[in-house]
Amino acid sequence: MRWSKAFIPTLRDDPTDAEAVSHKLLVRAAFIRQLMAGVYTLLPLAYRSRRKIRRIIEEEMDAIGGQEFLFPSLHPAEIWRKSGRLEIMGDEMFRLFDRKSGEVVLGMTHEEIFTTIATELTSYKQLPQIWYQIHSKFRDEPRPKSGLLRVREFTMKDSYTFDIDQEGLDRAFDAHYAAYKRIFERIGLDAIPVEASSGAMGGSGSVEFMVGSSAGEDLVAHCPNCDYAANVERADTRVPAAVDEQGLEHPEKFATPGVRTIDDLASFDGGAAGDRQIKTLVYVLDGETALVLLRGDHALQEQKLQDETGAIEFRPAHPEEIKALLGADAGSLGAVDVSDVTIIADTALRGRTNMTTGANENDFHLRGVNVERDIQVGSWASLREVKAGEPCIACGEPIDVFGAIECGHIFKLGTKYSESLGAMVLDQNGKSRPIYMGSYGIGLERNLAAVVETHHDEKGIAWPVAVAPYEVVVTVLKLDEETLGAADGVYEQLQSAGIETIIDDRKERPGVKFNDAELIGVPYRITIGPRGLADGVVEVNTRGTGDTETMSLADVVAAVVERVEAAR
């Protein structure tokens, strides 16, 4: 490709609405343009890199026996209603009615649709199966942001496995786990597998592949000592055993005028430290009110509560709802002697005595509370959000907590979808059994952005060779006949050797050409000018390291070909 003929409209300034580095650089370096909120056009450079990511994914999926399909994006709503997920997906699912008033949706994912084809499987002899597609998905994100990291239209590789039993599902899951590790390594991402919440997907377990980045919207708890890793939506740590006094025979009410927060009560004369308080939160879960109890110095991780209860509609109660239920405002709430209301308590409160909590009367609290004696706890669960520095649940060493981008997610679905949609086969004994399924996703554009987030510097993007739009740029410093002729010769030899090369033959200053090559991130730059040619040499710059060296014109092609092929 000749740069003079290419469409590469680089920009000097960052887009004003961009916060993530990948968003800024992909716009400036002429990879993407925004059409509307959360919807982007991929320009030729981005399409080339995305195509390489796609090829890597296809190769690894084919290597484990995957068969590629192409399913529709437009789905009848009834299929989603049958699986129970039409309501679960809520407002994030695009919904519309066709001209015959039929309700249809745009696919956010394809579990239901793959399962409808799987109903044609009839015998265990046809299993296992691995099916996949690489296709557009749609999500009506309420706050699309960060360029390609959170969008409303995107491309995903989603694959599905079908097995006769749990053992087969485990093998399929492990095969995908290994394939995903190879995919991310080839793309150039240091992805950490972490325990994760299955959320609306359901099933018995899931693993996310996370790439550390300040642009990520997820938080990962990771132990540097034993490599325990989990999304904070799932993570747990050890809570040191508390030594409590037995306290009073009955809770005692005392006045706490003006006390409204955990910190207020901790500093109040006669109050209690945060770890000796019971925090009472009120939530509405599928229309039913519930009290959620945590230690005062702990924060609720809402996804844990949703996973524990299985609630679809999920929100904190409104102030008027709280007042009607408990007779007091937030800041004076408690669960002592409360009945006929679901009470869910964090496990850190189990066995605690001599605690302090709200009295359900404004400006009053109770001291001397014995949790299991005085509160009718209906269920116990790990509900709190872990913090950096807490002891690892596995080894006891302090954990780190850092921001991360979710680049892939794999799920053990079990029989959730096969049972609801009728995907059954006959087993070895002629008995009809539901198929065990797994689901495995990778977002292509999100991974493209994640590579930029982790491979850049102050000059621009520094693509790994495997996903770079071009592997080499030949920069011509002067367009005289001799210089351009030598540059064309190098360009043609590289092309003939299978190296993806662009020649910068524009009538621009050398500084502009250097800046653009560094901005778009081509891994190797060969600079050819009349001064070097007089001595029979050219310069070779390695974008990732910034190193520049002089080579003879006669040797440069062979040397660069060797480097590119090694880096692939």
Side-chain angles (χ1 to χ4, degrees):
M1 173 59 70
R2 294 186 174 275
W3 203 311
S4 59
K5 302 297 183 183
F7 183 68
I8 308 176
T10 57
L11 304 175
R12 289 186 177 184
D13 300 318
D14 293 333
T16 57
D17 61 339
E19 297 179 2
V21 170
S22 60
H23 188 185
K24 296 175 183 178
L25 289 177
L26 287 171
V27 171
R28 283 189 54 214
F31 282 75
I32 62 173
R33 289 293 184 266
Q34 182 172 312
L35 179 62
M36 60 180 182
V39 180
Y40 288 85
T41 299
L42 300 188
L43 303 186
L45 291 179
Y47 192 81
R48 291 179 67 91
S49 289
R50 175 184 169 280
R51 185 171 59 191
K52 291 184 175 183
I53 292 174
R54 177 180 181 132
R55 187 180 306 135
I56 288 170
I57 292 171
E58 287 175 333
E59 289 172 359
E60 294 296 343
M61 291 307 303
D62 292 348
I64 63 171
Q67 303 167 77
E68 189 166 6
F69 288 62
L70 183 61
F71 282 82
S73 294
L74 198 62
H75 306 164
E78 183 55 33
I79 292 179
W80 287 78
R81 184 173 287 111
K82 190 179 293 186
S83 73
R85 291 207 300 172
L86 188 64
E87 294 76 20
I88 292 174
M89 292 306 187
D91 292 339
E92 289 191 1
M93 175 170 275
F94 281 100
R95 305 159 190 257
L96 59 153
F97 291 88
D98 63 21
R99 65 177 63 200
K100 296 180 180 179
S101 300
E103 187 180 5
V104 293
V105 302
L106 293 178
M108 298 172 65
T109 180
H110 275 68
E111 282 73 21
E112 285 81 356
I113 315 307
F114 269 82
T115 308
T116 61
I117 297 297
T119 60
E120 296 189 33
L121 298 169
T122 58
S123 169
Y124 75 97
K125 295 179 181 179
Q126 297 170 279
L127 303 179
Q129 293 281 332
I130 301 175
W131 299 349
Y132 78 96
Q133 68 168 348
I134 299 176
H135 199 20
S136 296
K137 310 287 186 184
F138 301 88
R139 225 166 257 179
D140 194 2
E141 291 281 359
R143 292 175 297 279
K145 62 177 184 176
S146 301
L148 298 182
L149 291 176
R150 181 169 288 278
V151 292
R152 296 199 289 174
E153 180 180 349
F154 56 99
T155 312
M156 179 185 286
K157 185 287 299 179
D158 52 330
S159 56
Y160 301 86
T161 58
F162 305 88
D163 288 274
I164 190 62
D165 53 24
Q166 182 65 46
E167 184 179 350
L169 171 56
D170 292 343
R171 285 194 297 269
F173 188 88
D174 291 344
H176 273 80
Y177 184 99
Y180 272 43
K181 292 184 72 173
R182 292 191 296 270
I183 288 168
F184 295 122
E185 183 178 353
R186 292 179 63 184
I187 288 173
L189 292 175
D190 182 15
I192 301 172
V194 308
E195 296 178 20
S197 165
S198 295
M201 294 288 285
S204 60
S206 70
V207 170
E208 290 171 321
F209 290 82
M210 294 289 202
V211 173
S213 170
S214 59
E217 295 186 325
D218 287 275
L219 290 174
V220 168
H222 176 251
C223 177
N225 183 60
C226 72
D227 282 338
Y228 167 80
N231 192 308
V232 293
E233 295 178 347
R234 182 84 174 179
D236 206 355
T237 54
R238 298 183 186 180
V239 178
V243 179
D244 294 334
E245 297 177 358
Q246 186 59 37
L248 307 172
E249 290 187 9
H250 303 284
E252 176 184 271
K253 186 166 73 170
F254 65 107
T256 51
V259 170
R260 293 292 179 269
T261 67
I262 298 296
D263 289 340
D264 288 345
L265 187 58
S267 60
F268 184 79
D269 185 22
D275 63 353
R276 303 201 61 78
Q277 297 182 43
I278 302 170
K279 180 190 298 183
T280 304
L281 306 175
V282 185
Y283 271 75
V284 179
L285 310 174
D286 289 336
E288 298 293 327
T289 306
L291 302 188
V292 180
L293 310 183
L294 297 102
R295 211 172 76 179
D297 58 338
H298 289 163
L300 173 66
Q301 170 48 248
E302 287 192 337
Q303 186 63 53
K304 287 186 176 183
L305 178 61
Q306 191 165 21
D307 289 346
E308 174 65 23
T309 61
I312 297 173
E313 295 182 0
F314 177 93
R315 64 173 174 83
H318 300 312
E320 62 273 16
E321 293 172 318
I322 295 172
K323 188 69 174 287
L325 177 71
L326 298 177
D329 299 314
S332 299
L333 305 179
V336 173
D337 293 334
V338 173
S339 58
D340 299 325
V341 177
T342 298
I343 300 176
I344 308 165
D346 183 66
T347 52
L349 290 174
R350 190 186 287 274
R352 296 300 303 273
T353 62
N354 202 28
M355 301 289 282
T356 299
T357 191
N360 289 330
E361 182 179 345
N362 286 347
D363 297 321
F364 286 90
H365 281 75
L366 298 173
R367 59 164 64 99
V369 176
N370 180 320
V371 175
E372 294 178 61
R373 179 193 68 192
D374 301 322
I375 299 175
Q376 298 178 30
V377 176
S379 60
W380 298 88
S382 173
L383 301 175
R384 68 187 184 88
E385 184 166 291
V386 302
K387 298 178 183 177
E390 292 181 345
C392 173
I393 191 70
C395 72
E397 293 299 308
I399 64 164
D400 296 330
V401 176
F402 55 84
I405 300 168
E406 178 199 322
C407 290
H409 202 163
I410 60 179
F411 302 83
K412 292 183 179 181
L413 300 177
T415 59
K416 170 183 171 70
Y417 297 92
S418 55
E419 288 181 341
S420 62
L421 297 171
M424 314 288 284
V425 295
L426 297 179
D427 66 12
Q428 297 90 327
N429 301 314
K431 181 180 178 181
S432 181
R433 295 176 56 178
I435 296 172
Y436 281 74
M437 291 176 56
S439 174
Y440 317 85
I442 292 181
L444 274 67
E445 291 87 9
R446 175 174 283 199
N447 274 274
L448 184 77
V451 173
V452 177
E453 288 290 337
T454 54
H455 293 80
H456 70 271
D457 58 23
E458 70 281 356
K459 297 177 181 179
I461 306 169
W463 290 105
V465 168
V467 293
Y470 292 97
E471 295 164 328
V472 178
V473 55
V474 177
T475 301
V476 190
L477 296 185
K478 190 175 181 181
L479 301 182
D480 62 88
E481 184 176 351
E482 181 180 359
T483 306
L484 189 56
D488 278 336
V490 169
Y491 169 68
E492 289 169 4
Q493 291 179 65
L494 289 168
Q495 290 280 83
S496 297
I499 305 301
E500 297 176 346
T501 308
I502 184 169
I503 182 170
D504 193 346
D505 58 345
R506 295 176 295 168
K507 295 178 180 179
E508 291 284 1
R509 301 187 312 275
V512 172
K513 295 184 177 184
F514 292 153
N515 288 341
D516 279 349
E518 289 170 333
L519 176 62
I520 73 172
V522 181
Y524 295 99
R525 185 182 77 230
I526 300 174
T527 303
I528 301 177
R531 184 177 300 177
L533 286 179
D535 298 323
V537 297
V538 298
E539 284 187 350
V540 176
N541 174 267
T542 302
R543 179 68 183 89
T545 64
D547 295 336
T548 300
E549 56 188 302
T550 301
M551 290 188 187
S552 72
L553 179 62
D555 297 335
V556 69
V557 171
V560 171
V561 168
E562 182 179 2
R563 294 181 188 186
V564 170
E565 290 180 343
R568 283 174 176 172

